[in-house]
Amino acid sequence: MSILFSFLPKQEQQDELVKKFPHAEFIFQKGLNEELLKSASILVTYGEDIDAPHLKTAEQLKWIMVASAGLEKMPLLEIAKRGIVVTNVRGIHKTPMAETILAHILSIKKSLPLINENQRKGEWSKRVSPTELLGSTAIILGPGAIGGEVGRILQAFGVHTIGCNSSGKLPPFMDEIVTFDKLNEVLPKADIVISILPSTEQTKGLITYEHLQSMKQSAIFMNFGRGDLVKEQHLLRALEEERIAYAVLDVFEKEPLAAEHPFWSMNNVIVSPHISSHSSQYVIRALQIFSSNLNAWMEQKPLENEIDLEKGY
Amino acid sequence: MSILFSFLPKQEQQDELVKKFPHAEFIFQKGLNEELLKSASILVTYGEDIDAPHLKTAEQLKWIMVASAGLEKMPLLEIAKRGIVVTNVRGIHKTPMAETILAHILSIKKSLPLINENQRKGEWSKRVSPTELLGSTAIILGPGAIGGEVGRILQAFGVHTIGCNSSGKLPPFMDEIVTFDKLNEVLPKADIVISILPSTEQTKGLITYEHLQSMKQSAIFMNFGRGDLVKEQHLLRALEEERIAYAVLDVFEKEPLAAEHPFWSMNNVIVSPHISSHSSQYVIRALQIFSSNLNAWMEQKPLENEIDLEKGY
């Protein structure tokens, strides 16, 4: 069984895998090696390198392990036709992303950007107006693994959490749940609206200018899912008109964000360069998930985090 | 019964008190009115205006309600001699301070200052190295009402909490407790050291250069108690020598911090101008505590938050 990596874990992480699975043949290479792919039965990738033509020659390929959460760049239809199993690292992002989301919320609520600016000016100024998280209301668009972790911590801060999903089924750590079509009914209540939605046919353009307009003027809108959730021109307009107080954006319609984009210099926008899931623990955790799945694969047991290739998540 | 305020609550807050206590005579004035103090039986103050000579003429005074937590500026000995009861608003700071402390911790852990700097430069850079709060260890110096709230939220983030107090008795939301004299044994384990200690004979100069030196190089030291906990020259030295990674300071030896102080321009120091307890909810909560105590006072029941004048807290 040949297992091809298209990225390079640290030497000690490679050694650990080799030691743990003495009967597997591991090939660690930076970048997708098309020759070696032909004979590989398992590919471990960040998911941005494999395309439809590759599949034609990868005749042995039975399982693609994607060490990432987004699968938009993968030829899912062709993979499905070939009967190849795809798993990802769903859940791996929940700790770094929930901590990052909370960091941004608290930073804004506690006026840290202003305190920072005053420090740079050497100005001892008590004229800052921090607000409290306790008693506020947050809407979580996509209350899955990551959204649930955000909800869990928000609840610890005394925040009322409203989840929003397609099923209307109440997930953990949400005080309420609404379906997407009822979103407009709850938006006016929210102090914070956080999206961690993936990009699917259902979520593209889900948030409109009218939605933003219906939110509190003091509301914080956070997009940590995918940039196509809302048209940037709509978001820009709502921010320029001060319909909402703040946008914290980790994802954009086009990444990297263009140098001339107005978001860069807006006082009510935080530009985070799609790094909210970054963590010193990332590869360690991804390889733990892979190891556990490789054991299951060898024992022909069901794999964790298998992707429904039709739904795309 | 004459109740003198030396600060001005909002008109609707005044009206509510007058309505709630029709038999009391309320006098709301900004600044301590020495004439009116002579006939007042209760003084409601932020605690920075009353001194020993005032007490000589305030013959009716039986209770001083301090709408603050620090009592260093009050003539506690003279007050004790006169048998005057002092209460404060212990607990009122717990929500804003815990939220602020978490905001600073997460901001540093998630590299928000660098992300902010990159945004100002219009630079899309993924070269940031956020670290995780999950699995780290925090020492809380003074695990009382505020420290306990900090501990409760840290535990929700998966942080191991070590309290440090004088009794060695385990308070809520601490995984361990040590006494002050054992502090040097636990400091090397800590990723975050947070002080919310008041200024007392026991806490002045409690943290030494040796303590700071024994901490992890990656550690964050936070002083949200009082500035005399550690000599600034010792802290400065430890920071210049990079013995610790960061200091977040809300209190200083001398406030406001002098314009020429090196802290202002140090990359590893956050200067917060003693505002961590600020909150839009402050006066509302202080008057709730006062109302409840005034009811108790009228019914000759024990008061909440009564100060032990010998201990000073």
Side-chain angles (χ1 to χ4, degrees), chain A residues 95-155:
Chain A
T95 294
M97 286 191 69
E99 290 187 1
T100 301
I101 287 168
L102 263 295
H104 284 290
I105 293 173
L106 285 165
S107 169
I108 291 172
K109 287 269 180 194
K110 299 299 157 186
S111 308
L112 297 201
L114 178 59
I115 291 172
N116 182 263
E117 198 185 318
N118 288 339
Q119 178 173 352
R120 271 185 283 128
K121 292 191 277 185
E123 208 175 275
W124 180 274
S125 169
K126 287 180 181 272
R127 266 180 290 160
V128 291
S129 305
T131 56
E132 283 187 19
L133 200 49
L134 176 71
S136 57
T137 295
I139 293 175
I140 292 104
L141 300 166
I146 301 163
E149 182 65 359
V150 173
R152 187 185 68 78
I153 300 177
L154 283 175
Q155 286 184 335

Side-chain angles (χ1 to χ4, degrees), chain A residues 99 132-133 152 156 279 285, chain B residues 99 132-133 152 156 279 285:
Chain A
E99 290 187 1
E132 283 187 19
L133 200 49
R152 187 185 68 78
S279 166
R285 284 203 194 114
Chain B
E99 290 186 2
E132 283 186 19
L133 200 48
R152 186 184 69 78
S279 165
R285 283 202 194 113

